[in-house]
């Protein structure tokens, strides 16, 4: 548990409690250094929307209000280590890549291949190594499919359920060191990162529920099925505006929090439709 009573709003609980954190928390061997955990927490902190206490649970511990079993959201590798599979024209064939990659790399890569700008808050890198050439033909359609809560190890542990996913991985590019770099590793936060290429400190989506100072209350981050609390533009927002609103953007998910952070703001975005 990290807590801080620092007066400066940017002095996050991560910074304020660093010494206590090092002394009290054993990160094991899944972060190269304690600073790795510290950086993940710091980039996931919003001085308005976060609480003053950040809980980091021990491995395999979860908070739950039901008896349906486990969930995801922890800082540990069983939640952070995820698959990244790319397939399509000009994508290399049958290749495993062990370069480090993070969720925030996907938006800059899409922008590069489509030939448009990424949102200004996007922080990831272009995954050039996944492509046969840097001068390939621009795709007419780009599809991003997310398997929520699917860890990298599931590709082996659940072969019977992921046969088609494994086939695409064999026929395209599969990254073996893809990580979720922010915390918590929950759906609302992750899908907003996938849609924007930004960290929670920029998206404002720091959890399923966030603090709204105007209401002085905790609210659902996608309250009313709306992107009103998403503070960063998505790739879809930027691309649609760049082509004069001629883009066809479709985002479908099993819950609103899976779709909204990836689709964007629509008419709520300046110049959007």
């Amino acid at each position: 548990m990290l807590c801080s009573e620092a007066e400066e709003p940017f002095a996050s609980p991560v910074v304020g409690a660093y010494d206590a954190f090092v002394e009290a928390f054993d990160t094991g061997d899944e972060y190269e250094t304690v600073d790795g955990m510290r950086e993940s927490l710091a980039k996931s902190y919003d001085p308005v929307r976060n609480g003053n206490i950040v809980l980091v649970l021990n491995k395999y511990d979860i908070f739950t209000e039901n008896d349906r079993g486990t969930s995801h959201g922890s800082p540990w590798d069983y939640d952070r280590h995820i698959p990244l599979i790319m397939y399509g024209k000009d994508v290399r064939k049958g290749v495993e890549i062990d370069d480090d990659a993070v969720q925030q790399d996907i938006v800059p890569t899409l922008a590069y291949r489509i030939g448009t700008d990424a949102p200004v808050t996007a922080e990831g890198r272009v995954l050039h190594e996944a492509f046969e050439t840097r001068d390939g033909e621009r795709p007419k359609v780009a599809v991003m499919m997310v398997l929520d809560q699917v860890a990298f190890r599931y590709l082996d542990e659940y072969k019977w359920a992921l046969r088609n996913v494994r086939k695409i991985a064999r026929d395209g590019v599969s990254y073996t060191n893809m990580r979720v770099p922010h915390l918590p590793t929950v759906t609302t936060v992750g899908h907003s990162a996938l849609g924007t290429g930004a960290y929670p400190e920029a998206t404002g989506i720091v959890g399923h529920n966030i603090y709204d100072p105007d209401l002085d209350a905790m609210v659902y981050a996608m309250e009313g099925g709306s992107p009103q609390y998403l503070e960063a533009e998505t790739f879809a927002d930027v691309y649609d505006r760049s082509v004069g609103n001629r883009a066809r953007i479709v985002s479908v998910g099993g819950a609103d929090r899976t779709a909204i952070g990836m689709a964007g703001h629509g008419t709520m975005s300046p110049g959007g439709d």
Side-chain angles (χ1 to χ4, degrees), residues 42 54 70 72 76 81 89 129 161 168-169 173 194 211 218 224 244 255 270:
V54 178
T70 187
H72 60 127
W76 304 112
H81 187 198
K89 188 174 182 180
E129 66 275 4
I168 295 172
V173 165
L194 289 167
Y211 178 70
M218 296 297 293

Side-chain angles (χ1 to χ4, degrees), residues 179-254:
R179 295 293 192 286
V180 180
H182 50 259
L183 297 171
T185 53
V186 296
T187 301
T188 313
V189 180
H191 286 235
S192 296
L194 289 167
T196 63
Y199 284 82
E201 64 178 354
T203 66
I205 306 301
V206 295
H208 287 328
N209 299 295
I210 61 176
Y211 178 70
D212 184 333
D214 294 331
L215 300 177
D216 190 22
M218 296 297 293
V219 297
Y220 177 44
M222 301 298 169
E223 185 69 31
S226 166
Q228 60 184 310
Y229 290 112
L230 181 62
E231 294 182 333
E233 285 195 311
T234 65
F235 172 69
D237 290 330
V238 174
Y239 178 63
D240 186 45
R241 190 166 58 243
S242 74
V243 295
N245 304 129
R246 296 191 305 275
R248 296 293 181 263
I249 298 164
V250 179
S251 187
V252 179

Side-chain angles (χ1 to χ4, degrees), residues 6-208:
E7 294 181 1
E8 294 296 325
F10 188 70
S12 77
V14 180
V15 176
Y18 178 54
D19 291 338
F21 173 59
V22 172
E23 185 175 321
F25 195 78
D26 177 13
T27 61
D29 59 0
E30 295 184 358
Y31 278 85
E32 292 183 5
T33 64
V34 173
D35 282 341
M37 176 81 79
R38 181 176 183 259
E39 181 180 359
S40 289
L41 286 165
K43 294 186 75 66
S44 305
Y45 178 77
D46 183 292
V48 174
R49 295 183 174 183
N50 273 101
N52 288 325
I53 296 176
V54 178
L55 296 178
V56 181
L57 300 181
N58 289 328
K59 287 184 184 178
Y60 314 119
D61 287 349
I62 61 171
F63 282 122
T64 182
E65 296 178 356
N66 55 61
D67 58 359
R68 292 183 297 177
T70 187
S71 183
H72 60 127
S74 83
W76 304 112
D77 236 29
Y78 56 80
D79 278 339
R80 294 178 62 243
H81 187 198
I82 59 176
L84 171 58
I85 299 167
M86 300 174 65
Y87 180 85
K89 188 174 182 180
D90 295 325
V91 176
R92 296 169 67 187
K93 304 296 188 289
V95 176
E96 283 193 350
I97 296 177
D98 61 5
D99 294 8
D100 291 339
V102 296
Q103 284 185 321
Q104 283 76 2
D105 294 336
I106 294 175
V107 158
T109 303
L110 282 174
Y112 165 74
R113 293 307 295 180
I114 290 175
T116 190
D117 293 329
V120 295
T121 53
E123 292 193 39
R125 69 181 182 90
V126 176
L127 301 173
H128 289 292
E129 66 275 4
F131 300 96
E132 298 282 2
T133 174
R134 295 195 176 195
D135 300 314
E137 183 180 345
R138 295 179 183 179
K140 295 181 179 179
V141 177
V143 178
M144 186 191 308
M145 181 179 295
V146 183
L147 302 179
D148 201 352
Q149 199 176 329
V150 171
F152 183 81
R153 69 182 190 279
Y154 289 2
L155 295 179
D156 286 327
E157 292 180 6
Y158 297 97
K159 293 178 181 179
W160 56 273
L162 297 171
R163 289 190 297 269
N164 291 331
V165 174
R166 288 169 56 85
K167 184 180 186 305
I168 295 172
R170 289 194 302 270
D171 293 344
V173 165
S174 177
Y175 277 79
T176 60
N177 283 310
M178 171 74 166
R179 295 293 192 286
V180 180
H182 50 259
L183 297 171
T185 53
V186 296
T187 301
T188 313
V189 180
H191 286 235
S192 296
L194 289 167
T196 63
Y199 284 82
E201 64 178 354
T203 66
I205 306 301
V206 295
H208 287 328

